[in-house]
Amino acid sequence: MTDTSTGTSTTLQGVGIGRGLAVGTILRMPDPLPEPADVTSSLTADAEKVRAAGALAAAAADIRLRGDRAGGSAKDVLDAQAFMAEDPTLKSDVDARIETGKTAERAVFEAFAAFRDLLVSMGGYMGERATDLDDVSQRVVAHLQSVAAPGVPTPDYPFVLVARDLAPADTALLDLDRVLALITSDGGPTSHTAILAREKSIVAVVGARGALALSDGETVIVDASTGVVTVAPTADQMAAVEQTLADRAAAPEVAVGPGALADGTKIPLLANLGSADGAANALELGAEGVGLFRTEFLFLDAEKAPTVEEQQVKYTALLTAFEGKKVVVRALDAGADKPLHFLNDEPEENPALGLRGLRALRANEPILRDQLTALANADRATNAEVWVMAPMVSTVEETRYFTTLARELGLKTAGVMVEVPASALLADRILADADFASIGTNDLTQYTLAADRLLGSVASFQDPWHPAVLRLVGEVGKAGAALGKPVGICGEAAADPLLAVVLVGLGATSLSMSPAALKDVRAELARFTLDQAKEFAELALSANSAVEARVAVLAAATPITTSQKLEKSE
Amino acid sequence: MPERTVTIASTHGLHARPASLFVQAVTKSGLSVQLTKGEKTLNAASILGVISLGIEHGDEVTLKTEGDNADAVLDELSGLLTTDFDAS
């Protein structure tokens, strides 16, 4: 434990997610284990078999215990993993390998790898279980080598988790009640870690270079509003944080209600949803409708597209939950990070620049027609206000294609997502045909900065505060205002409270985000007038970089921020 | 040797949770149970084996075992395989 009463603190700068503040001790995510060396064992085969059996049983018990603690769907996954460690066929294979002189570590590694290759060769769902096998294999080997098991730590006390980045499999098992904050060295504001943090309202700073040099047990202050991680804070800094946390706890909750600026300008706050299941939670958190309904869940894991009837049932469930409210449904957005084999099975060098979004739908028009027909049927059967939009539209001609088809199939309001710089630059032409535009800031940032969203090494480019991205948003906002067409934002950017104000200043007329982010954004919007929002937008546009833009707007918006209080106290 | 041939009810086949519940029941029975799909027969207590058979909704599989309680165990296991765990 670091002595917090003396000495000087150091800081790391990353990108904060939300506005949370936390203080706690660090636990690092252990690094993956190296492959066990293929050397001849110095023990007898029987002794190695006993070691292997012991480690397999210990890993199974350990996994089962974690499953009981996690509960829910994580328990099912972990129970299956425990059975994998206890698998009699696997054990026979391990023993057979040990008979040839291999160590228990190597035999376990090889036996799991053989099963993994078998599952991968089967593809689909089986292929996805391959990561489960890798995880079990690593845990058994860790037991054999008496080292910390890889994967997320599961201590019995609250901690600040430090990792390079978190994979979905890691976060599914994370005990959120014990995680005070997340710090990652890689990954940007659209990384899986950031999205999780936003959804679950976890204090997080991502892309903090140097975070991996932090050690277990060190005390840190994590301030998401500034993106600063203070290592080994002084007593004064600790006191300032405690005070801020107490002030925030005492501050009255902003009432749930429609989003509006301080001058009364209405900015509807909508929810991003991936299935009808989240509807009740979104409404409870004050969502005024759905700004982005992702329909991929209907298609993932599917060998072929679901029927019109199957889709209609799901859409009806969603629309019923949002009776009388706006629901913007995005047509199937496959490709790049979420390939669907029945849409596009051709391997591509650059999937983000390939046959994805509307391009893939157009190449498989019957699938698009079925989806739009199902949606139009569900619309007729319910009382929500249904809008439909096409993903990744890059030309005026594509806009015409989609809006014409949607209207022909009975949908009243048809728009496009602006994710490609080309459609932002020609927004005046595109909005002449489309009923509305919705800006997907994640992809718009990726395409504007030419930086792969999924590539950690270029994550620092993936910042929607970048003035180039904001200028494109402004183009769409201007076109929308001139033509009287709504312009929504449905990327992660809308969930950043201060950036949300800037986006409104650039002409956004509604904001859609993970429901958990609604509260902070609603509170932030209520602090400023439309004129102030426009002023912030000008400040951000005139900056040279994302960091400069954020700093300039933060300074204008907050006379005394937490970070300044901390600096004063140093 | 007593045996039962049943049709898999779970919508997504014998994967994940249904496979785990099935293997758990086999292990608990204490008997050595064989599972056959097509020409492949394996130890039903092996979750990796069960998963790798790629058993889908509507597939026919045969269970075989012998010993005390063999019929009761086969009835219980058949019951699991003909329940749709993916319906909720």
Side-chain angles (χ1 to χ4, degrees):
Chain A
M1 188 70 78
T2 310
D3 182 355
T4 56
S5 60
T6 56
T8 49
S9 58
T10 54
T11 59
L12 301 176
Q13 179 71 52
V15 176
I17 305 300
R19 308 175 64 76
L21 178 66
V23 54
T25 52
I26 283 174
L27 262 189
R28 288 195 42 179
M29 179 107 162
D31 292 324
L33 301 175
E35 181 177 320
D38 192 4
V39 293
T40 306
S41 168
S42 55
L43 302 174
T44 64
D46 283 346
E48 288 287 16
K49 283 184 199 171
V50 170
R51 290 183 68 227
L56 286 163
D62 182 37
I63 293 169
R64 205 159 268 135
L65 184 70
R66 290 198 303 139
D68 289 341
R69 247 192 255 155
S73 60
K75 179 173 159 52
D76 292 338
V77 173
L78 290 168
D79 278 349
Q81 287 195 357
F83 282 117
M84 291 175 188
E86 285 171 342
D87 195 296
T89 310
L90 177 104
K91 180 65 170 59
S92 310
D93 189 17
V94 169
D95 288 351
R97 291 174 196 272
I98 287 175
E99 290 285 353
T100 68
K102 293 184 190 291
T103 62
E105 285 90 335
R106 183 70 195 179
V108 164
F109 171 82
E110 288 183 3
F112 274 106
F115 263 111
R116 183 202 48 216
D117 293 347
L118 175 66
L119 293 189
V120 168
S121 71
M122 295 172 73
Y125 174 86
M126 306 301 166
E128 289 166 28
R129 298 280 69 74
T131 38
D132 286 346
L133 272 179
D134 286 338
D135 190 43
V136 180
S137 172
Q138 291 247 317
R139 286 181 179 275
V140 179
V141 172
H143 270 284
L144 284 166
Q145 298 178 336
S146 304
V147 295
V152 290
T154 50
D156 297 331
Y157 52 87
F159 63 102
V160 175
L161 182 64
V162 174
R164 185 176 295 282
D165 198 2
L166 295 173
D170 302 324
T171 53
L173 301 175
L174 205 53
D175 182 352
L176 300 177
D177 292 339
R178 295 216 164 87
V179 176
L180 296 165
L182 297 173
I183 304 171
T184 64
S185 62
D186 293 13
T190 57
S191 63
H192 185 76
T193 310
I195 292 169
L196 173 94
R198 216 170 268 128
E199 275 175 6
K200 307 284 183 185
S201 297
I202 303 171
V203 180
V205 171
V206 299
R209 284 191 179 195
L212 293 182
L214 297 169
S215 322
D216 283 354
E218 276 188 288
T219 298
V220 287
I221 295 170
V222 185
D223 188 348
S225 67
T226 55
V228 171
V229 176
T230 309
V231 187
T234 63
D236 285 349
Q237 286 172 321
M238 287 292 275
V241 166
E242 302 290 344
Q243 185 59 48
T244 307
L245 287 173
D247 290 350
R248 286 194 193 176
E253 291 270 317
V254 181
V256 168
L261 294 168
D263 56 15
T265 308
K266 296 251 178 284
I267 306 293
L269 296 177
L270 311 166
N272 290 352
L273 289 183
S275 78
D277 298 343
N281 176 51
L283 285 167
E284 199 173 305
L285 293 168
E288 296 168 62
V290 179
L292 168 61
F293 183 66
R294 304 184 183 94
T295 54
E296 289 77 63
F297 80 101
L298 285 167
F299 298 83
L300 295 174
D301 298 332
E303 308 267 314
K304 56 186 174 46
T307 64
V308 171
E309 290 73 27
E310 281 165 352
Q311 293 188 53
Q312 196 177 322
V313 169
K314 305 278 184 172
Y315 300 144
T316 305
L318 174 82
L319 297 178
T320 306
F322 285 92
E323 193 158 315
K325 296 188 159 66
K326 180 167 104 175
V327 175
V328 185
V329 178
R330 178 175 70 188
L332 177 61
D333 186 15
D337 53 336
K338 40 200 174 200
L340 291 175
H341 301 293
F342 54 83
L343 270 189
N344 180 15
D345 222 1
E346 293 295 312
E348 294 177 343
E349 281 287 327
N350 278 311
L353 304 181
L355 191 70
R356 55 166 300 199
L358 181 62
R359 301 169 184 179
L361 289 173
R362 214 172 166 180
N364 298 271
E365 194 179 289
I367 291 175
L368 176 59
R369 281 180 171 270
D370 279 358
Q371 187 176 26
L372 295 175
T373 303
L375 192 57
N377 291 348
D379 184 14
R380 277 191 288 275
T382 54
N383 292 314
E385 187 189 335
V386 177
W387 294 18
V388 64
M389 63 185 180
M392 213 185 104
V393 169
S394 28
T395 66
V396 175
E397 191 272 333
E398 280 184 323
T399 308
R400 283 186 190 146
Y401 165 79
F402 180 77
T403 54
T404 306
L405 185 63
R407 288 173 194 138
E408 175 196 315
L409 293 174
L411 289 153
K412 293 181 283 290
T413 310
V416 298
M417 285 198 72
V418 174
E419 298 165 282
V420 180
S423 40
L425 292 167
L426 293 190
D428 54 341
R429 257 66 57 85
I430 282 183
L431 275 170
D433 277 300
D435 294 320
F436 68 97
S438 181
I439 305 177
T441 49
N442 301 352
D443 270 331
L444 184 60
T445 308
Q446 136 162 305
Y447 292 131
T448 305
L449 277 303
D452 189 335
R453 282 168 66 177
L454 306 174
L455 196 58
S457 56
V458 294
S460 60
F461 290 92
Q462 186 70 32
D463 192 332
W465 276 95
H466 197 284
V469 178
L470 299 179
R471 193 186 286 185
L472 290 171
V473 171
E475 286 297 320
V476 187
K478 257 184 264 169
L483 295 163
K485 302 274 176 86
V487 173
I489 308 279
C490 67
E492 292 297 321
D496 175 337
L498 193 56
L499 183 51
V501 177
V502 172
L503 294 170
V504 168
L506 290 167
T509 55
S510 71
L511 302 169
S512 190
M513 63 204 74
S514 313
L518 289 167
K519 188 178 107 179
D520 285 349
V521 172
R522 185 185 297 113
E524 194 79 348
L525 290 178
R527 293 177 59 202
F528 306 104
T529 63
L530 185 58
D531 285 342
Q532 280 177 303
K534 285 180 177 164
E535 191 187 306
F536 296 166
E538 284 307 318
L539 277 174
L541 285 173
S542 60
N544 287 324
S545 68
V547 173
E548 268 185 33
R550 190 187 285 110
V551 167
V553 176
L554 192 62
T558 333
I560 298 177
T561 64
T562 310
S563 65
Q564 283 166 324
K565 260 192 221 162
L566 285 175
E567 278 155 22
K568 268 189 215 156
S569 67
E570 272 174 6
Chain B
M1 197 189 273
E3 59 172 74
R4 301 275 188 285
T5 297
V6 295
T7 306
I8 302 298
S10 280
T11 321
H12 300 297
L14 202 53
H15 312 153
R17 181 153 170 270
S20 208
L21 291 171
F22 173 74
V23 169
Q24 188 171 6
V26 171
T27 312
K28 214 179 269 174
S29 76
L31 297 183
S32 165
V33 182
Q34 290 179 351
L35 175 70
T36 305
K37 180 192 152 187
E39 289 169 5
K40 280 193 195 161
T41 296
L42 47 78
N43 181 350
S46 165
I47 192 168
L48 294 170
V50 171
I51 291 179
S52 66
L53 280 180
I55 300 171
E56 300 297 343
H57 171 77
D59 281 355
E60 273 197 353
V61 298
T62 303
L63 295 164
K64 263 188 219 171
T65 189
E66 57 189 344
D68 297 344
N69 262 340
D71 280 303
V73 167
L74 287 182
D75 286 342
E76 190 203 339
L77 296 178
S78 311
L80 281 174
L81 296 183
T82 50
T83 305
D84 184 359
F85 289 100
D86 294 322
S88 58

